[in-house]
Amino acid sequence: MADNDWLARVFEEHRDHLRGVAFRLLGSATDADDAVQDAWLRLAAADTSDIGNLGGWLTTVVARVSLNMLRSRRHRQEEPVGDAWPAAAEDAVRAGATPGARQSGPAHQAVDPADEAMLAESVGLALLVVLDALAPAERLAFVLHDMFAMPFSEVAAVLGRSPEATRQLASRARRRVRGAPDPGRASDLARQREAAAAFLAASRGGDLAALVALLDADVTLTADAFVVPAGHPAELHGAAAVARGAVMASARSGQSQLALVDDSVGIVFAPGGRLQAVLAFTVSRAGRITAIDIIADPGRLRRFRLALLPGGE
């Protein structure tokens, strides 16, 4: 087996590329890091003597791991938030070892918000929304071939399909993606993100004045029965009342993050990586928040498509 220090150095040379592949496939920087770390664990445990193209091998591994994660999301009809690692891989990383061996390897690095921002901006929120609407096999075929120029023969090997079938998948995905991101849609998402990020920051800081300035005078906040201790839906009306409610929930804001919620930007409350609530926003053209819907119903939460976004940690 190759020297582990040498493997670690080679792996670090490919990390940025692998993160880019995984992020475009998964739409979440957190999940992308998980997929990349899984690739390291597999590399460190593998016999590399027969691997001619290490970069290509790693890209294939990351693609397969990402495909499994995408298929798992569809099967569960939910998007993992936070920790979505396979248990064996997670235990190995915590122990500082690869499966079956005590070896050192690249640390699972803390996510750099600036680095995440570059990733998100390079893809674009509007394109992420379009990609998320694709079936897992379509998304993988399009991303690997059209974005990373992987030959169809290699993409086909990842999917377990023929090159011709893989070509058709990419063509179908290309037709759906063509023209995206729509400038109007991108503008809407940018406005939503700005408002949601400002709301989250003001909530964390308990800044009542800043919250009132973000909210439309006639804003309405609705919360389902799973949010309210009394067990029945609740409503707040007006900027002052909603702002006071946000200040009272400032402790929860510290464990919340920006996310794509289906096709819009919102906030997820996921302490310890366990999704407990989603805040969905309606934002006016003037950038004011006109409605907030807080959802904690487990059945509804499972149906959301979520992708964590940088800038809200």
Side-chain angles (χ1 to χ4, degrees):
M1 183 176 291
D3 179 76
N4 200 59
D5 291 337
W6 175 80
L7 276 182
R9 288 195 300 272
V10 173
F11 184 83
E12 287 303 320
E13 292 174 2
H14 293 280
R15 181 184 288 274
D16 289 344
H17 168 75
L18 297 175
R19 265 193 99 214
V21 171
F23 183 75
R24 286 157 176 79
L25 288 172
L26 296 167
S28 164
T30 301
D31 286 352
D33 282 337
D34 290 350
V36 170
Q37 190 69 11
D38 197 335
W40 159 252
L41 293 172
R42 296 183 187 212
L43 174 64
D47 180 359
T48 59
S49 60
D50 294 329
I51 301 176
N53 180 354
L54 197 56
W57 186 89
L58 285 167
T59 300
T60 297
V61 169
V62 165
R64 284 176 174 157
V65 170
S66 299
L67 180 62
N68 288 337
M69 293 171 72
L70 286 171
R71 286 172 172 165
S72 179
R73 290 180 193 173
R74 292 296 178 102
H75 177 70
R76 295 193 312 268
Q77 292 188 311
E78 65 178 346
E79 177 88 5
V81 175
D83 183 3
W85 287 36
E90 181 179 11
D91 291 342
V93 172
R94 285 178 176 171
T98 59
R102 298 292 299 178
Q103 296 177 324
S104 62
H108 185 54
Q109 300 170 343
V111 176
D112 180 351
D115 187 29
E116 284 201 358
M118 283 198 303
L119 276 175
E121 289 168 3
S122 69
V123 179
L125 292 185
L127 181 56
L128 281 181
V129 170
V130 176
L131 289 176
D132 197 50
L134 301 177
E138 291 176 341
R139 183 167 181 163
L140 187 135
F142 174 80
V143 168
L144 293 184
H145 180 267
D146 286 47
M147 290 186 166
F148 290 95
M150 181 180 282
F152 277 121
S153 58
E154 295 179 20
V155 181
V158 175
L159 288 171
R161 306 195 186 195
S162 69
E164 183 55 37
T166 302
R167 190 184 302 273
Q168 291 175 3
L169 285 171
S171 178
R172 188 158 61 237
R174 198 177 301 119
R175 287 195 297 270
R176 298 182 67 180
V177 171
R178 187 172 290 127
D182 174 74
R185 182 64 180 138
S187 177
D188 288 342
L189 287 168
R191 185 167 59 250
Q192 293 168 13
R193 181 173 184 164
E194 183 177 1
F199 181 90
L200 183 58
S203 298
R204 287 173 174 172
D207 192 336
L208 187 66
L211 286 163
V212 170
L214 287 168
L215 300 169
D216 185 84
D218 298 319
V219 64
T220 298
L221 180 147
T222 60
D224 67 26
F226 291 85
V227 176
V228 183
H232 56 77
E235 286 191 6
L236 293 176
H237 297 278
V242 172
R244 285 195 297 270
V247 169
M248 291 175 63
S250 60
R252 287 192 171 193
S253 298
Q255 295 178 293
S256 299
Q257 291 181 268
L258 294 180
L260 274 176
V261 181
D262 287 339
D263 295 344
S264 300
V265 179
I267 293 173
V268 296
F269 173 57
R274 302 297 179 184
L275 181 62
Q276 293 188 15
V278 164
L279 278 69
F281 294 88
T282 302
V283 181
S284 70
R285 290 188 177 276
R288 295 290 184 90
I289 298 171
T290 60
I292 303 173
D293 190 14
I294 306 179
I295 304 104
D297 180 342
R300 292 186 65 188
L301 293 179
R302 282 193 293 270
R303 291 191 292 272
F304 282 126
R305 300 190 313 276
L306 304 176
L308 298 182
L309 299 175
E313 292 77 9

